[in-house]
Amino acid sequence: MQTSGGESERRKPLVIAGMPMYNEEETVGTVVTMVSRHVDLVICVDDGSSDASARIAEANGAVVLRHRVNRGYGGALKTLFHKAKELNADALVILDSDGQHEANDIPSLLEPIMSGEADFAIGSRFIDGGMGTDMPAYRRLGIKVITATNNLSSNSKIKDTQSGFRAFSKLALERLRFDSEGMELSLEMIDDAVEKDLKVKEIPTVIRYDVPKGSNYTAVSHGFTVLSWALLSLSQKKPLLVLGLPGAGLLATGAAMGVNTAQNVTTTLDSFLGAGLTAIWVGLLGLTLITTGLVLQSARSLLRLLIVKEFGLD
Ligand SMILES: Nc1nc2c(ncn2[C@@H]2O[C@H](COP(=O)(O)OP(=O)(O)O)[C@@H](O)[C@H]2O)c(=O)[nH]1
Ligand SMILES: [Mg+2]
């Protein structure tokens, strides 16, 4: 009986690039060609593009997976994770089909993944050596606000939470879970990685804005969706901070107004009652917010404790 070569003939690591793709016929051909130089297989996920994207991607050597209905950016990434696991990939790099990401930086993103230094690498504009070419100032500001809000709730120190240029180890492919269908997935993935103690590393890269079509979404709708997600997550994870801080401000305002009203007790009965009542309701609102924040914070801690004790999960 013949053997297949045994231990010495270890399988070469399989590295896959995954590209979400939606009406990118102008750029996808070049991107697939450039990306193919650095990986074993390029997979594009098409969500019913009405242009020639799928045909061009295939003609340039990519495998194209098609969704019958549009499942958004998040849906495309779920399909890519699923396929990468099915093919037993050792690493998955994801990048956009619109030419915004630098395909020649794929090796630097893969380096910490293949050496075991990181499970999740993010191509970053905001660390030394990285930049956003021709990046509009309002987008830069929006990303900074989203990142600051998210870092407050997830305790991550990532500087570029909105980069879609990312690489994942086999462990990250197995462990990461995400539900979002849209761009808010960018944050959900980072939060999940931090919660699961996966090693996350930022690698400098240049993200371009001088491409034919840099975005399918307006900055406002993109910013609103992602920031809402970050705020919701913050209020769930740190209710005491979100409710208690404004609550304390209102309580202090109410108290100050009350003292002021008491001092002016000699003025007319009308103004006394008006200001006094305002002081009382402002103060009560503050107290209610602080109490709600405290209750939610304790409920969250209790729930976590129960989950850890009963199911051994964290
Ligand atoms: N499969 C799929 N890809 C999408 C969808 N929306 C956007 N993309 C792709 O996802 C990548 C990022 O989208 P883009 O609009 O450039 O986002 P932005 O650069 O972050 O503003 C691009 O390659 C798009 O073609 C979608 O609904 N389905
Ligand atoms: Mg883009």
Side-chain angles (χ1 to χ4, degrees):
M1 199 176 89
Q2 278 193 331
T3 63
S4 58
E7 275 294 300
S8 57
E9 268 184 43
R10 276 243 173 85
R11 179 174 77 87
K12 184 178 163 286
L14 174 66
V15 179
I16 296 179
M19 296 169 38
M21 177 177 75
Y22 191 65
N23 290 336
E24 307 285 9
E25 64 181 1
E26 282 184 79
T27 45
V28 72
T30 318
V31 181
V32 168
T33 308
M34 307 253 303
V35 169
S36 309
R37 294 183 191 140
H38 304 288
V39 301
D40 303 300
L41 174 68
V42 183
I43 303 176
C44 295
V45 179
D46 185 28
D47 258 318
S49 294
S50 53
D51 67 3
S53 298
R55 191 173 48 76
I56 295 173
E58 272 168 348
N60 283 278
V63 168
V64 175
L65 303 176
R66 293 172 174 85
H67 288 163
R68 257 184 288 165
V69 288
N70 187 292
R71 288 179 47 205
Y73 178 82
L77 255 59
K78 274 178 214 154
T79 298
L80 284 169
F81 265 58
H82 181 77
K83 195 69 191 173
K85 282 188 272 187
E86 193 182 282
L87 295 174
N88 198 19
D90 296 282
L92 170 70
V93 188
I94 53 163
L95 77 165
D96 293 357
S97 318
D98 58 8
Q100 283 198 278
H101 298 143
E102 180 53 72
N104 289 330
D105 281 346
I106 290 178
S108 8
L109 238 72
L110 282 173
E111 206 273 323
I113 300 290
M114 302 317 279
S115 69
E117 191 196 335
D119 297 303
F120 181 0
I122 303 179
S124 174
R125 287 162 273 207
F126 304 130
I127 57 170
D128 269 356
M131 68 181 287
T133 310
D134 289 338
M135 186 178 185
Y138 58 87
R139 279 202 180 255
R140 180 183 299 271
L141 178 69
I143 295 175
K144 296 270 180 191
V145 172
I146 288 168
T147 298
T149 312
N150 197 61
N151 286 355
L152 210 57
S153 73
S154 75
N155 298 326
S156 96
K157 297 196 171 46
I158 303 300
K159 292 217 164 73
D160 194 348
T161 57
Q162 293 308 292
S163 165
F165 190 20
R166 299 175 168 196
F168 306 91
S169 68
K170 201 186 206 46
L171 185 71
L173 287 174
E174 279 161 15
R175 294 235 178 125
L176 284 176
R177 297 275 178 277
F178 41 89
D179 290 322
S180 312
E181 294 283 301
M183 287 292 180
E184 65 279 19
L185 168 89
S186 53
L187 297 181
E188 191 187 1
M189 220 179 220
I190 293 178
D191 286 12
D192 197 41
V194 171
E195 273 183 25
K196 289 176 179 159
D197 281 332
L198 292 174
K199 291 173 276 175
V200 187
K201 186 168 188 209
E202 280 184 283
I203 305 292
T205 192
V206 176
I207 298 186
R208 318 176 63 96
Y209 284 79
D210 55 351
V211 293
K213 192 188 73 170
S215 193
N216 281 281
Y217 314 89
T218 64
V220 174
S221 83
H222 183 160
F224 184 75
T225 315
V226 182
L227 187 61
S228 313
W229 195 93
L231 285 170
L232 200 69
S233 161
L234 183 63
S235 66
Q236 283 166 357
K237 287 185 185 159
K238 298 195 174 159
L240 190 53
L241 181 78
V242 173
L243 298 175
L245 220 59
L250 285 175
L251 185 62
T253 314
M257 285 176 75
V259 169
N260 195 30
T261 311
Q263 279 167 354
N264 297 328
V265 86
T266 50
T267 52
T268 65
L269 192 64
D270 259 9
S271 70
F272 168 71
L273 275 180
L277 284 178
T278 309
I280 291 169
W281 76 252
V282 168
L284 281 180
L285 186 62
L287 265 180
T288 315
L289 285 184
I290 296 176
T291 317
T292 314
L294 276 170
V295 170
L296 288 177
Q297 190 82 39
S298 336
R300 188 179 148 77
S301 312
L302 198 69
L303 211 65
R304 277 187 82 92
L305 202 74
L306 276 176
I307 291 172
V308 173
K309 273 203 169 153
E310 289 298 315
F311 305 107
L313 298 170
D314 199 359

